[in-house]
């Protein structure tokens, strides 16, 4: 089985009619909404498996709260990380850091959690259902009280999205927004209504599945 090229995987974002392009616009809209609704003062944001970072960098670069946000994007592919760094530099986001490394490690976020905005996009479609549940559990450590988790997942059958929402709700999150079931791609946003749990240091939150490149771009689906 050939390893997927995660840099080439981003190509459909350039097609405005693709499902991934639509999903990206949803994520960006939810980032803007979370920033609009955030209380005054400094804000923290983290992005797991950030890819090229457009889901956070683009809306943040044009938002009036941009100067309030300290952000960290964690990405394993050096080519994608380089694109994200370039986009952040072009946008003048000097408080946004792109870390090259394994986004599954809690240690990558230790000094920036709990965060007001947590992006888990491009993750749930590439890990086991058990790991999806596990990551949602870790979101109670990553997300600040009143903060927002934005996530994505494909609606292939069996559709895990209702269960994802239930797992969030069981852990003290309330649904803020969910894309319609008529779309193959899904984006959701949940607000944390409980108190964050202290971060478990040096934990591994998930492991990516093996992928056959012939299956096409389902990362983040």
């Amino acid at each position: 089985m050939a390893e997927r090229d995660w840099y080439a995987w981003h190509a459909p974002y350039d097609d405005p009619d693709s499902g991934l392009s639509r999903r990206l616009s949803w994520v960006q809209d939810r980032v803007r909404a979370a920033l609009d609704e955030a209380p005054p003062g400094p804000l923290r944001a983290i992005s797991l498996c950030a890819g090229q970072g457009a889901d956070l960098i683009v809306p943040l670069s044009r938002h009036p709260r941009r100067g309030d946000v300290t952000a960290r994007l964690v990405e394993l592919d050096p080519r994608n990380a380089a694109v994200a760094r370039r986009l952040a530099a072009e946008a003048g986001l000097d408080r946004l850091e792109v870390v090259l490394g394994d986004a599954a490690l809690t240690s990558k976020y230790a000094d920036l959690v709990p965060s007001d905005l947590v992006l888990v996009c491009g993750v749930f479609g590439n890990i086991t259902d058990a790991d999806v549940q596990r990551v949602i559990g870790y979101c109670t450590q990553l997300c600040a009280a009143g903060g927002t988790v934005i996530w994505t997942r494909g609606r292939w059958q069996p559709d895990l999205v209702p269960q994802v929402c239930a797992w969030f709700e069981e852990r003290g999150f309330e649904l803020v927004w969910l894309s319609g079931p008529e779309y193959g791609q899904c984006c959701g946003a949940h607000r944390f209504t409980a108190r964050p749990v202290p971060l478990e240091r040096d934990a591994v939150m998930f492991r990516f599945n093996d992928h056959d490149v012939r299956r096409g771009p389902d990362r983040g689906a």
Side-chain angles (χ1 to χ4, degrees):
M1 182 178 294
E3 183 178 353
R4 173 166 295 157
D5 185 335
W6 292 119
Y7 180 81
W9 177 90
H10 284 73
Y13 281 126
D14 295 328
D15 177 2
D17 296 322
S18 72
L20 287 180
S21 179
R22 181 187 300 113
R23 192 208 75 178
L24 176 62
S25 69
W26 290 335
V27 174
Q28 292 174 339
D29 285 346
R30 298 326 305 171
V31 169
R32 295 185 190 97
L35 294 174
D36 288 343
E37 297 165 5
L43 299 171
R44 295 174 168 182
I46 59 174
S47 179
L48 287 65
C49 299
Q52 298 179 0
D55 46 6
L56 179 59
I57 292 171
V58 171
L60 181 58
S61 68
R62 302 168 183 170
H63 199 277
R65 298 293 305 274
R66 55 176 283 162
D68 296 333
V69 179
T70 299
R72 177 172 299 157
L73 283 62
V74 183
E75 168 60 31
L76 189 60
D77 189 302
R79 299 165 299 170
N80 288 332
V83 172
R85 290 193 183 103
R86 176 177 56 80
L87 292 176
E90 291 173 351
L93 296 174
D94 54 3
R95 299 180 64 181
L96 186 148
E97 176 187 21
V98 179
V99 172
L100 182 63
D102 188 349
L105 305 178
T106 57
S107 58
K108 298 299 182 183
Y109 315 97
D111 60 337
L112 210 61
V113 297
S115 283
D116 304 279
L117 180 60
V118 178
L119 271 63
V120 191
C121 302
V123 178
F124 289 171
N126 296 285
I127 60 179
T128 65
D129 294 358
D131 269 1
V132 172
Q133 185 177 14
R134 179 177 172 84
V135 171
I136 293 171
Y138 276 105
C139 284
T140 65
Q141 303 177 23
L142 301 175
C143 192
T148 301
V149 176
I150 301 171
W151 55 273
T152 61
R153 163 76 191 204
R155 282 188 175 272
W156 58 81
Q157 296 300 320
D159 185 0
L160 192 67
V161 168
Q163 183 61 68
V164 168
C165 291
W167 283 330
F168 270 110
E169 291 163 10
E170 289 169 4
R171 287 159 179 79
F173 291 85
E174 65 178 12
L175 180 63
V176 175
W177 186 85
L178 188 69
S179 58
E182 67 272 23
Y183 299 105
Q185 301 278 350
C186 179
C187 172
H190 278 81
R191 181 177 295 114
F192 193 34
T193 61
R195 295 178 63 86
V197 177
L199 185 68
E200 180 184 349
R201 300 298 183 107
D202 302 317
V204 178
M205 295 183 283
F206 59 87
R207 296 187 187 280
F208 259 42
N209 298 327
D210 293 329
H211 284 290
D212 184 340
V213 296
R214 294 169 298 180
R215 290 180 56 193
D218 61 353
R219 182 183 181 190

